[in-house]
Each structure stands twice: as structure tokens, then as C-alpha cells.
Amino acid sequence: PNPPYERKCAFDVGDYGLGYCANSLELGCDCLGTITYFDADFINSKGEPWKLAKAVCLHEEDAGIMWKHTEYRTGHAEVRRAR
């Protein structure tokens, strides 16, 4: 490819048909926990739009306690979780 095409490709993956490789995600199989799903809109070869349900999932993973501090003067404890 000629410059600046090699930099453009990183942001224009539609040239490669990347969306056609996507499939719908399923709770418990692809995504665990508290999930929010997002649909994706695509364009077919005729320029007609089509929607893929549950193409992307957003979820939060709890990695346990990141840190805990107890103030010895008051006995008050602060805990932060790693997410």
C-alpha cells in the first residue's frame, strides 16, 4: 500500500470485511457476570443495512481486593476492589 494507506487501515477495518466475521454472543458462553449487550449495524454488498444482535458485550470483572487500609486511630477501614 502507498502512504498514508498503511496508517488508515488500522482505523478502517471495514475494507477487510471484519464485520462479516462477527456473530451474536450468548450469556454464560461468551460473556459472564453483569452484562450489557450492544447491537452492531453493517452494510451488505448492495449497500443495504443489516443489524447483528448482541455483537458486542460490556462486562465488569472483579479481580478481588486491590487494597485495604485501616486507620488505627478510629478503626475505620477503607477497601478498594480491583476491577
Side-chain angles (χ1 to χ4, degrees), residues 10-64:
F11 303 104
D12 193 15
V13 295
D15 287 348
Y16 304 109
L18 187 64
Y20 298 109
C21 298
N23 54 27
S24 293
L25 303 170
E26 295 182 26
L27 181 62
C29 178
D30 299 306
C31 301
L32 302 172
T34 303
I35 307 296
T36 299
Y37 288 101
F38 299 94
D39 298 339
D41 295 313
F42 297 99
I43 303 295
N44 67 15
S45 60
K46 296 178 183 178
E48 302 165 336
W50 63 280
K51 183 181 296 283
L52 178 63
K54 298 183 179 180
V56 177
C57 72
L58 176 69
H59 60 102
E60 183 176 335
E61 293 184 10
D62 190 348

Side-chain angles (χ1 to χ4, degrees), residues 65-69 77-81:
I65 294 175
M66 182 167 54
W67 61 264
K68 180 176 181 178
H69 173 75
E78 289 284 334
V79 177
R80 296 295 183 265
R81 302 198 67 83

